[in-house]
Amino acid sequence: MKQDMIVILDLGSHENTVLARAIRDLGVYSEIYPHDITAQELKALPNVKGVIINGGPNNVIDGVEIDVLPEIYEAGFPVMAAGHDKACCAVKLPQFGGDVEAIKAAVKSFVFETCKAEANWNMKNFVADQIELVRRQVGDRKVLLALSGGVDSSVVAALLLKAIGDKLVCVHVNHGLMRKGESEDVVEVFRNQLNANLIYVDATDRFLGKLEGVADPEQKRKIIGGEFIRVFEEEARKLDGIDFLGQGTIYPDIVESGTKTAKMVKSHHNVGGLPEDLQFELVEPLRQLFKDEVRACGLELGLPYDMVYRQPFPGPGLGVRCLGAITRDRLEAVRESDAILREEFKLAGLDKKVWQYFTIVPDFKSVGVRDNARSYDWPVIIRAVNTVDAMTATIETIDWPILQKITDRILKEVKNVNRVCYDMSPKPSATIEWE
């Protein structure tokens, strides 16, 4: 089933994604396109029912005020204009400062009465459409996917499995910096439950050997990222007949990597950082989904709730939570204390309330008492933050009995630890991660 679509033309607004989300919340699919799209390109898009021109403060490029092409108004689609005084023959949409409910109320009549769009945007239809598109793109050839176990790669893997079955080859690299049980969960879900063609690579010794004695955070990140690519390439070279590379690119990756009217926030490796001589054609079935839609897609595909709602996790994994030069015993202290924190947060219902929570073990020791004797061990630091966009973050206020229970368990169950601290620093001035 093909979804009706409302096209948003980006004329320098900060609220393009908010507007797109509001329209999707109404049950109608929406995509954002550049302001200079031609009428021919617009007509070539599937099931377009109407156009919203979304103006804003970024409407000047190289000193020239930009506008849509006049032919857009003659293309035969209803047009609504937001924050754009020059638009002719268009319904005017006021700016609502990011208020999704107000935007939904303002566009509802335009979407359903003027454009005659049907509310047929939902995950069941999206999955069915993407399966058809993937099958058409891939045919009887093979797709290679780096399956980290993160939300995006897991959902892509599940969707590609539905579409092409054993023509998908997944490679999961365990770099020894995963949280407790995560690699085992990937193998259990994808190989044992979903029967995926999964290659599991335990590269723990290789990664930890490369990281030995390295204390600088950026150097650690570069070693981990570079080594991951090398391991993945080595596995890919062992395979024959791979023509496609599957990726978990999602819509915020594309937005953050910059558009014609928006400056780059950060470069994403799966948007602009791939080599020009890449030998694979990309398969990116989630590239138009927002994060919460990716999670909904994962549930629609039957993935476990805990996997779909997994917390944000840095690419270098626990490597940036084992501060300074990584040692195996301190890394184990991070892994075990983190598992206790996650278990207790889940029991207390905080796992659904707190955006991100984890433990850190720094590279210094303090005097303490263990088994009635002097000890000289590490502290564990607990971090629990809430945020909307990760640009700022506030600290979660945890009830004292919960914090006390977590502390008691860490001190009793984690080796070489004699203190537990709670990080009270918001962002700014601190960052979410310590490294």
Side-chain angles (χ1 to χ4, degrees):
M1 181 178 186
K2 300 298 182 186
Q3 287 95 9
D4 289 346
M5 178 163 65
I6 300 296
V7 169
I8 298 168
L9 297 187
D10 176 15
L11 207 60
S13 174
H14 295 308
E15 297 187 346
N16 290 314
T17 54
V18 180
L19 178 56
R21 289 305 322 278
I23 296 169
R24 292 187 190 188
D25 280 355
L26 290 171
V28 179
Y29 185 58
S30 181
E31 286 186 5
I32 303 163
Y33 284 89
H35 68 282
D36 56 0
I37 190 172
T38 66
Q40 184 177 358
E41 290 168 333
L42 183 62
K43 290 177 181 178
L45 297 174
N47 290 26
V48 176
K49 293 296 182 179
V51 175
I52 296 179
I53 301 169
N54 202 25
N58 291 338
N59 66 338
V60 176
I61 298 178
D62 296 330
V64 178
E65 188 174 350
I66 59 173
D67 202 348
V68 298
L69 298 174
E71 63 191 66
I72 295 299
Y73 299 106
E74 309 299 326
F77 301 107
V79 176
M80 173 180 269
H84 180 47
D85 295 332
K86 290 187 175 182
C88 61
C89 310
V91 181
K92 287 291 180 118
L93 173 66
Q95 295 289 282
F96 286 101
D99 186 337
V100 174
E101 292 304 315
I103 293 174
K104 283 164 64 174
V107 301
K108 188 174 182 179
S109 175
F110 175 75
V111 169
F112 293 116
E113 296 175 22
T114 307
C115 299
K116 309 296 183 188
E118 289 186 35
N120 53 14
W121 161 247
N122 57 57
M123 273 307 132
K124 186 174 183 179
N125 290 342
F126 172 82
V127 168
D129 279 358
Q130 290 303 318
I131 287 173
E132 181 185 333
L133 289 170
V134 168
R135 286 174 178 167
R136 195 181 306 164
Q137 180 185 8
V138 173
D140 59 357
R141 294 177 288 174
K142 291 182 180 178
V143 178
L144 183 65
L145 174 70
L147 178 56
S148 68
V151 177
D152 302 335
S153 70
S154 296
V155 175
V156 167
L159 197 152
L160 292 178
L161 275 171
K162 289 265 189 185
I164 58 174
D166 61 6
K167 291 192 284 290
L168 172 68
V169 181
C170 299
V171 176
H172 175 70
V173 179
N174 179 2
H175 49 27
L177 304 168
M178 305 288 284
R179 288 180 289 202
K180 188 174 182 178
E182 285 188 322
S183 285
E184 293 84 351
D185 287 347
V186 170
V187 173
E188 171 59 28
V189 171
F190 286 96
R191 179 185 286 169
N192 300 343
Q193 296 179 19
L194 300 180
N195 299 314
N197 183 358
L198 174 64
I199 298 169
Y200 172 75
V201 183
D202 187 350
T204 299
D205 291 342
R206 176 171 173 171
F207 276 83
L208 295 185
K210 294 278 186 181
L211 290 164
E212 190 172 350
V214 178
D216 180 72
E218 280 306 303
Q219 194 177 353
K220 285 200 292 187
R221 286 178 181 272
K222 287 177 182 176
I223 289 171
I224 295 166
E227 200 63 23
F228 183 89
I229 291 170
R230 279 187 284 273
V231 173
F232 185 72
E233 286 175 340
E234 287 169 16
E235 295 301 321
R237 280 196 291 270
K238 298 175 186 176
L239 304 169
D240 293 323
I242 303 289
D243 294 313
F244 297 91
L245 181 66
Q247 288 208 131
T249 309
I250 66 174
Y251 199 74
D253 296 340
I254 298 169
V255 173
E256 285 192 341
S257 293
T259 64
K260 291 181 181 179
T261 60
K263 293 180 180 179
M264 185 178 74
V265 177
K266 57 183 176 179
S267 178
H268 287 262
H269 70 279
N270 52 0
V271 177
L274 292 167
E276 292 182 6
D277 61 348
L278 186 72
Q279 300 298 309
F280 303 113
E281 184 181 333
L282 296 180
V283 179
E284 300 174 305
L286 307 182
R287 64 180 288 115
Q288 293 297 341
L289 292 189
F290 295 96
K291 193 72 174 188
D292 62 319
E293 293 171 333
V294 173
R295 297 187 197 279
C297 184
L299 294 178
E300 177 67 31
L301 289 162
L303 288 177
Y305 180 92
D306 287 347
M307 181 172 278
V308 169
Y309 279 88
R310 180 188 184 213
Q311 285 187 68
F313 193 52
L318 300 181
V320 292
R321 296 176 182 171
C322 184
L323 305 187
I326 297 169
T327 60
R328 288 178 183 260
D329 46 4
R330 211 152 42 82
L331 181 61
E332 195 61 21
V334 178
R335 184 177 284 117
E336 291 299 324
S337 60
D338 177 81
I340 290 170
L341 179 68
R342 287 191 288 137
E343 186 178 317
E344 292 300 330
F345 264 42
K346 186 173 183 179
L347 285 172
L350 290 169
D351 59 321
K352 296 180 177 66
K353 181 185 177 188
V354 183
W355 183 78
Q356 192 171 15
Y357 45 95
F358 53 90
T359 61
I360 304 117
V361 177
D363 190 14
F364 62 81
K365 295 183 176 182
S366 67
V367 176
V369 178
R370 183 181 287 274
D371 299 326
N372 297 316
R374 179 186 184 276
S375 70
Y376 192 54
D377 291 319
W378 300 300
V380 167
I381 300 163
I382 296 172
R383 186 96 167 117
V385 299
N386 288 312
T387 183
V388 173
D389 55 9
M391 302 302 290
T392 62
T394 58
I395 305 305
E396 175 66 22
T397 303
I398 302 176
D399 290 342
W400 191 251
I402 297 170
L403 203 54
Q404 198 164 26
K405 184 183 179 187
I406 294 167
T407 300
D408 289 344
R409 282 197 60 192
I410 290 175
L411 292 177
K412 287 175 183 175
E413 298 174 31
V414 182
K415 294 179 181 178
N416 305 311
V417 167
N418 63 5
R419 292 178 190 270
V420 176
C421 307
Y422 190 60
D423 183 353
M424 295 292 294
S425 315
K427 178 182 180 181
S429 58
T431 54
I432 293 173
E433 298 284 348
W434 274 50
E435 285 192 341

